[in-house]
Amino acid sequence: ANVTACMDRVRKSAFDQGRDLSSDLECLHYRSQLPGWRSEERPSLLSGEHFPVSVVPSALPIPNYWVTPALDYVVSNFIRRDGAYYPKELAMYMNLVGDGAVICDLGAHIGSYTIPLAAHVGPNGRIYAFEPFRLVFQLLM
């Protein structure tokens, strides 16, 4: 295995609950030993020495890319696939607020609602996003 093969494996992680995740975990835990890990061509998908993250293009126009926790097979899988944790809920929120609105996102995770809503309310609006889990909060920032 090499870095690119591991990157593809983690990026394409399925929603299948019964799937054996040992290969994914092996890729993540031993990634620094893979050929190409120290290379400048190393894909950014498995960056993060102690807290691996995936960098993936968004299915929505805003943002262009998401930085998701690589070991999160729930919220991050929805974000990777749909561009938001629950796109219908995001659409509902966008219908409820407009330009200049003030929004509080409690339990913001990595901002799958925060970031699109910030673009939606525009420069006159405000978004206050709170995430209690420190490592995920760092991705939100």
Side-chain angles (χ1 to χ4, degrees), residues 76-125:
S76 293
N77 265 344
F78 283 100
I79 292 169
R80 285 189 282 263
R81 186 185 71 182
D82 302 330
Y85 178 58
Y86 191 57
K88 289 181 181 180
E89 190 172 46
L90 176 61
M92 178 190 69
Y93 293 146
M94 287 184 162
N95 285 329
L96 292 173
V97 298
D99 186 51
V102 176
I103 299 170
C104 289
D105 188 354
L106 306 176
H109 198 259
I110 63 166
S112 76
Y113 296 145
T114 306
I115 296 169
L117 284 170
H120 183 71
V121 300
N124 296 323

Side-chain angles (χ1 to χ4, degrees), residues 35-112:
W37 175 253
R38 304 262 181 241
S39 164
E40 289 183 18
E41 287 81 37
R42 178 185 75 179
S44 61
L45 182 77
L46 294 177
S47 60
E49 198 64 34
H50 303 290
F51 185 68
V53 297
S54 61
V55 179
V56 293
S58 177
L60 299 175
I62 296 174
N64 291 328
Y65 288 90
W66 286 108
V67 178
T68 63
L71 296 176
D72 176 10
Y73 292 100
V74 181
V75 174
S76 293
N77 265 344
F78 283 100
I79 292 169
R80 285 189 282 263
R81 186 185 71 182
D82 302 330
Y85 178 58
Y86 191 57
K88 289 181 181 180
E89 190 172 46
L90 176 61
M92 178 190 69
Y93 293 146
M94 287 184 162
N95 285 329
L96 292 173
V97 298
D99 186 51
V102 176
I103 299 170
C104 289
D105 188 354
L106 306 176
H109 198 259
I110 63 166
S112 76

Side-chain angles (χ1 to χ4, degrees), residues 4 9 23 25 38 47 49 56 58-59 85 89 111 116 127-128 132 136-137:
T4 303
R9 172 120 178 111
S23 294
L25 295 174
R38 304 262 181 241
S47 60
E49 198 64 34
V56 293
S58 177
Y85 178 58
E89 190 172 46
I127 303 281
Y128 297 97
V136 175
F137 170 76

Side-chain angles (χ1 to χ4, degrees), residues 1-17:
N2 61 30
V3 172
T4 303
C6 278
M7 176 194 73
D8 287 341
R9 172 120 178 111
V10 173
R11 183 173 50 83
K12 294 175 183 174
S13 291
F15 289 87
D16 184 6
Q17 298 268 339

Side-chain angles (χ1 to χ4, degrees), residues 19-37:
R19 191 176 135 231
D20 176 23
L21 301 176
S22 60
S23 294
D24 293 8
L25 295 174
E26 191 171 308
C27 278
L28 293 169
H29 290 301
Y30 299 106
R31 64 193 180 281
S32 63
Q33 299 170 18
L34 293 170
W37 175 253

